[in-house]
Structure formats: structure tokens, C-alpha cells
Amino acid sequence: MTIHFPFDNTYARLPDRFYARVEPEAVAAPRLVRLNRDLALHLGLDPDRLSSPDGVELLSGNRVPDAAEPIAMAYAGHQFGQFVPQLGDGRAILLGEVVDQNSIRRDIQLKGSGPTPFSRRGDGRAALGPVLREYLLSEAMAALGLPTTRALAAVLTGETVARETLLPGAVLTRVASSHIRVGTFQFFAARQDVEGLRLLADYVIARHYPQAAESDRPYRAFLDQVIAAQADLIARWLHIGFIHGVMNTDNMSIAGETIDYGPCAFMDAYDPATVFSSIDRQGRYAYGNQPRIGLWNLTRLAETLLPLLFLDEDKAVADASEALEAFSGKFEAAYHAGLRRKLGLLTEREEDLTLAGDLLNAMAENQADFTLTFRRLSDAAAGPAGDEAVRNLFINPLAYDAWAVRWRERLSLEPQDGASRQVAMRAVNPAFIPRNHRVEAMIQAAVERDDFAPFEELLAVLSNPYQDQPAFAHYSEPPEPHQRVYRTFCGT
Ligand code: AMP
Ligand code: MG
């Protein structure tokens, strides 16, 4: 039986220097951990066949589906500010592209499927823990409503991978609008390959930003649109307390999706300086630094586009600078609009930003849980009976009381009644996020005891993050002091 993937591989038709053709490496004993059946259907794939032994052969890289043209994509990137002219897919292989039910072209990629010409010193493999983390967090992100890559499947390889200890190996099947990164542009710019850059830009415009092709100046319009997409994405990360953890330019998607879930994490107590990643010692990628880093990365993208913007270098630089100047305004507009929604404000007043800022400051000073404060505020929006549950989250509850008086005054100027405000707020303030202590416990159960029940349960709860699920209320709670996770580690 062969399983049909309706592949149409446009990236593999680009010139050879864009990638390396490479087959996934066979693994000993593939075993399906989970298939995302809804996503399979959305991609036009048959979930029953994919979860059959033949399907699992494909998802583990043991066999390559018909019409796949496996490639490892070339890219470069700034890692923690240092430029590396060649990175590329060192442990991932793009099988091909399919067009989904919404007519969006999606990449299907195996991650952890063996070495490629870009592996450098790595083994091309992935351990089960990071695969489950990426599966869970990317699916949680999608359910929260943010642009993200998706997880189609996780399989165990039946082999071990050597990290600090021997760990079970696994392969993740990742789905993305594309895997083209800021670093993909840097790869060609570093080689002064202007023709390659132009081909890549034309490809990206056709695939992701077709409106830019209608513009008088398509490359500038393309840059503007990537800047807008990233400004919006990063604002949305902040609204849900997400910390990417490794915002290197090779981990920033041109399509504006959250990509490369490594040491990422959601914040518990609100503190803009929060860092989780064990390798981020300087706090470069701290929660509150993400907008600034976003602009830094986009500046690197703009630099690569200079030869396409204008032949005259001064003109090109002025043009790119003008595009980049729009980032802050776009980010702030998106961030502030989201904060207003989180506070239940439909109308705009100047004092709103001070009101929001004062709440955030009080939360930081009083170690209030980010997610729960806003979720419970949604109930307090219906009337002061809800205040008790919010104020308890503050070390000094009086800090909330003083703020709540001003908030209520402001709410009295709003057209909405309390009940509809509560509904609107609950739709933007999630009850459930992937809490680190839960994620770590889930990984431990799977890796140490081959127990996937916590993974399944957590995944199910996180698929409805805006709904109260009383039977699972414990998943909404912040960690007890002894459960706190301070460090997360890269997926390598
Ligand atoms: P990441 O930190 O996962 O974004 O990866 C940065 C770079 O290292 C990319 O080029 C990856 O392909 C490569 N890489 C990460 N882990 C491995 C591995 N186990 N084997 C080979 N290459 C890897
Ligand atoms: Mg990466």
C-alpha cells in the first residue's frame, strides 16, 4: 500500500544552491506517539493510513513518500548576535509541499530524521523530550490563535540519542507556511549572490505576500509586510506571556509564524526580565526584549535586501531605514490594542496606556501570575464580586485594590455592559497556557516511564485554552515554589 501525499514541490525547483538533496536516514523501530488527525485532514492526508504501520514508516523517515523531493534547506543566521554564514537544516528534511483546504501551501518537514550536509558536528537527531515540547507548545499556540508552525506527528525511533545522557530518539513532523527564515536571505547576501536573493525574494512574494507583487516597488512592499507581520506576531507573544527564547535570525520566519520551539516558555509571575533559556545568559531574548530583538533581526533582513531596493546604495539604505522606522509604531499599535482588549476596553482613551502600565508594574512588584491575573480580571469585569480572586494573586493585595478603583472608573465610560465585557475578555485572556512545570512533568513521564497519558491530557486541555475546564482547573494554576522551572534547554 502506498500513501499518497499530494506533493507539489516548488522550493525544490529553485536552483541547486538553495538546498541539498538528501534522504532521511532509516531508524530501527518506529512507533507512533501521536498523529494530529485534524491537521492531517486539513492537509488532505488520510489520518487512518498515516497512523498505519506504512504511514509510520513515512513519518519516521524510513520510507520516502511518492512525489516527495527531500531536501535540507540552506540558510545562515545571527546566533546571539554572531553571524554564522552557513547553518541550514542540520537535522530536518523538507519532504515537500501540499496545498491545504484553505488553499495555503504548507511545507511538510521531518525534524530529527538524520544528518544532512548542514549538520556540522550534530547528529541530525532529536530527543523525545524536545519533540514533545515542540508538539505541545506549537499546538497550544495554534489553539491560542497565534500564527505558528504546526505539529502533524511525533514518532519514537526505537533508537537512543546521546545528549548529556542517552535519551529516546524521536522525529517530529512539522508543518509550516514555509521554512524560509530571515537567515535564508542572509545566506545569499553573505555570498553576494544577488541573483539568488532576487529569486528568493520573488519566490517569497509569490508564496506569502502576493499583494506586494501588485505594488510599484514589490521588494519594498515585501519588506514592509514582513515588518508588519513580525510586529504583530511579537505583540501577540507579549499578550500571552510567551518567551521564544532563541530569537536568532535563523529562527525568525519570513511568513510571520512562530517557529523553532526550543527553550521557549510561558511566563508565570509577570516580570519583563524573565529569561528561561539556559544558553541566554545575558538576557538577550528576555520577555520584554523581544520587540527590540525583532527590530534588530528585521534590520538584518533589510540589509540583505539593499541591492534589490535601489542600485544606488545611499538610496537603498534610506529606503530600508524608512521601512524599519515603521516597526515601532506598528508594534505599539498592536501591543496597545491587545492590552485594551485584555482590560475590557472597547473605546480608546489616552489614559488607557498608563492604566495598563500601572497594572503591569503592580503585577511585577507583587509577583502576580500573568495569565491568571487577566483571566480573573475578566470575571471581575462583571462586577466587584470577582475582585477577591484577583487581589489574592498580589503579594500586597492593596496594590490591586488601588488600581481596580481607577479601572472601574474607566469601565464606567465604556458602552458595554458587564456581562458582555466578561465574555469579550474571556475570549482574549486564556485560562490555560502550557505551564513549564506541567510541560516538564509531561516530558519526564514520557521519557522516564514511557507514559504518554500526561502528554495527551495536557494537549487536550490546551486545545481549548479560553474555556474554563473545571475538571482540569489544576492545569491553570501557577507552580508551587518547589515546582518552579527556572531553566529550559535547547532542543539539540
Ligand atoms: P536551533 O538552535 O535548533 O535553531 O539550530 C541551530 C542550527 O543547528 C541549525 O542549523 C540546526 O539545523 C542545527 N542543529 C541543531 N541541532 C542539531 C543536531 N542535533 N544535528 C545537526 N544539526 C543540528
Ligand atoms: Mg533553528
Side-chain angles (χ1 to χ4, degrees), residues 75 79 87-89 91 111 174 181 244 246 248 250-252 259-261:
Y75 54 85
Q79 300 191 304
L87 290 165
D89 289 332
R91 56 163 166 172
K111 190 170 172 184
R174 177 161 73 178
R181 306 140 192 273
H244 183 284
V246 220
N248 293 335
D250 53 305
N251 292 338
M252 185 181 252
I259 191 171
D260 271 10
Y261 291 80

Side-chain angles (χ1 to χ4, degrees), residues 393-471:
L393 296 168
F394 290 67
I395 291 178
N396 175 9
L398 297 175
Y400 170 72
D401 296 342
W403 180 83
V405 172
R406 292 164 53 204
W407 181 49
R408 291 240 148 70
E409 269 169 28
R410 174 64 186 86
L411 290 180
S412 70
L413 306 173
E414 287 284 300
Q416 250 182 337
D417 62 77
S420 38
R421 176 177 306 129
Q422 182 185 22
V423 171
M425 285 176 73
R426 288 162 65 93
V428 295
N429 291 317
F432 298 98
I433 51 154
R435 301 256 180 200
N436 303 311
H437 63 299
R438 297 286 177 189
V439 174
E440 295 299 330
M442 169 283 278
I443 289 174
Q444 209 173 357
V447 171
E448 290 172 14
R449 302 190 293 281
D450 196 38
D451 175 7
F452 292 90
F455 170 67
E456 292 292 338
E457 189 170 272
L458 201 47
L459 195 59
V461 171
L462 290 168
S463 67
N464 283 306
Y466 296 104
Q467 234 140 57
D468 284 334
Q469 303 174 55

Side-chain angles (χ1 to χ4, degrees), residues 158-321:
E159 296 174 2
T160 52
V161 294
R163 295 296 181 258
E164 271 158 33
T165 56
L166 284 184
L167 295 167
V171 176
L172 178 79
T173 307
R174 177 161 73 178
V175 175
S177 289
S178 86
H179 287 85
I180 300 168
R181 306 140 192 273
V182 168
T184 317
F185 282 83
Q186 291 181 290
F187 178 85
F188 295 100
R191 286 157 183 75
Q192 290 165 6
D193 179 355
V194 178
E195 196 208 306
L197 268 174
R198 191 180 302 276
L199 279 170
L200 180 65
D202 290 344
Y203 178 89
V204 168
I205 289 171
R207 183 162 173 182
H208 298 303
Y209 299 102
Q211 321 85 300
E214 317 285 313
S215 153
D216 293 345
R217 304 205 34 236
Y219 300 120
R220 168 63 195 270
F222 156 60
L223 177 59
D224 289 340
Q225 289 183 30
V226 179
I227 289 170
Q230 284 295 338
D232 189 62
L233 178 67
I234 295 169
R236 295 174 75 173
W237 287 353
L238 298 198
H239 294 147
I240 54 162
F242 180 73
I243 304 165
H244 183 284
V246 220
M247 284 176 75
N248 293 335
T249 55
D250 53 305
N251 292 338
M252 185 181 252
S253 151
I254 285 294
E257 290 180 332
T258 311
I259 191 171
D260 271 10
Y261 291 80
C264 57
F266 283 71
M267 188 164 61
D268 293 306
Y270 177 71
D271 176 0
T274 307
V275 178
F276 284 101
S277 168
S278 59
I279 53 173
D280 189 4
R281 294 205 178 82
Q282 328 263 298
R284 179 179 171 92
Y285 299 141
Y287 170 83
N289 240 2
Q290 296 181 114
R292 203 170 321 150
I293 291 293
L295 177 58
W296 193 90
N297 289 349
L298 291 164
T299 305
R300 305 288 81 78
L301 173 67
E303 285 165 0
T304 71
L305 296 177
L306 292 178
L308 305 185
L309 289 173
F310 278 104
L311 281 177
D312 179 279
E313 198 181 324
D314 291 341
K315 269 176 130 174
V317 170
D319 197 46
S321 305

Side-chain angles (χ1 to χ4, degrees), residues 2 7 68 104 109-110 114 167 208 225 241 254 262 277 280 335 351 380 383 392 432 438 472 480:
T2 55
F7 280 129
I104 310 275
Q109 189 200 59
L110 301 181
L167 295 167
H208 298 303
Q225 289 183 30
I254 285 294
S277 168
D280 189 4
Y335 178 61
E351 67 269 23
N392 287 341
F432 298 98
R438 297 286 177 189
F472 298 104
E480 299 290 338

